[in-house]
Amino acid sequence: MYVNPPHQNSRNLRTSAGGSLCLTVASLLIKLVNMGNKASAIVRVLTVPREQPNSQHVTESVSNMWPFSANLPRELNVGDKIEIEGKLADDAEVFSINLVCHHNQTEKPHNIAYHYKVHFSQMKTISNAKIEGTWQEEEVKDEVELLPGEHFQISLFIDKDAIYTYFKENNIDVFDHKIPIQDVKYLQIWDGIEKIDSMKITFA
């Protein structure tokens, strides 16, 4: 059953992000969407040819290397939801999402609050956390909902005790917090991606 976020309040948000999309560069359009008393930060990704990196929609410098990464405009709290839309590469072997507790995106993170990885060839998923540079015990499931070449919408819902991950509104993972979720600074998406269309954060 899909978990809906609770009542949400309007806030002023400022988001930054960077990343590249295989043979294209991602330009990012950030906007605040007011829907009654809901507030959402939307990172809209527009692809432009690599030889045109200075698109008018770019809000920060865009890296020409993976991973795609987006700074969170504020700390995460219970009831927040992150929605990611994009397309997997036809030859994708793995795909992963990280919630990273780190400010400097050029350095290797020592703390990752949530690591979700899909191994398509092995038909399994792995959930984990990294604490002070050490990966914890893997949580492995022999079920894969996503398929290479598929358009996807993945949602991460922050609950009091765990992160609930959804694909097409089906709950595909529940991961108990190992690190305070408020420590998360940005989101990463690695491997097997043809493009990221948007990332939307809805705050409780």
Side-chain angles (χ1 to χ4, degrees), residues 16-180:
S16 61
S20 67
L21 305 176
C22 299
L23 298 180
T24 63
V25 171
S27 70
L28 307 172
L29 175 63
I30 317 301
K31 64 180 180 179
L32 174 67
V33 177
N34 287 306
M35 298 170 292
N37 46 10
K38 290 185 179 181
S40 297
I42 294 182
V43 179
R44 183 70 62 187
V45 179
L46 307 173
T47 58
V48 296
R50 174 161 288 181
E51 52 275 8
Q52 300 177 28
N54 297 318
S55 164
Q56 62 180 347
H57 297 292
V58 174
T59 58
E60 280 197 359
S61 60
V62 176
S63 169
N64 288 327
M65 297 178 62
W66 283 106
F68 169 87
S69 60
N71 293 327
L72 301 183
R74 44 144 269 197
E75 67 181 29
L76 292 175
N77 286 295
V78 173
D80 292 348
K81 183 169 71 170
I82 301 173
E83 298 171 84
I84 308 156
E85 295 185 22
K87 185 179 184 295
L88 294 168
D90 293 336
D91 59 350
E93 296 181 1
V94 293
F95 163 71
S96 62
I97 298 173
N98 291 331
L99 294 181
V100 183
C101 309
H102 196 62
H103 279 290
N104 190 342
Q105 298 180 29
T106 64
E107 297 179 1
K108 189 175 181 180
H110 285 225
N111 294 285
I112 298 176
Y114 181 51
H115 169 73
Y116 180 75
K117 189 169 190 175
V118 181
H119 289 268
F120 296 108
S121 60
Q122 302 176 40
M123 293 300 290
K124 70 178 183 180
T125 64
I126 294 174
S127 303
N128 206 343
K130 183 192 264 189
I131 301 176
E132 297 299 328
T134 301
W135 287 107
Q136 306 303 294
E137 184 177 353
E138 292 182 341
E139 299 178 14
V140 181
K141 296 182 179 68
D142 295 322
E143 298 178 7
V144 174
E145 299 268 351
L146 293 83
L147 296 173
E150 185 173 24
H151 289 273
F152 65 86
Q153 181 181 28
I154 291 178
S155 301
L156 308 178
F157 179 76
I158 310 303
D159 202 5
K160 179 181 179 181
D161 299 314
I163 299 170
Y164 289 77
T165 302
Y166 296 87
F167 172 65
K168 293 182 178 179
E169 299 194 355
N170 294 321
N171 184 209
I172 57 175
D173 191 50
V174 179
F175 186 75
D176 292 340
H177 297 309
K178 308 293 191 298
I179 296 175

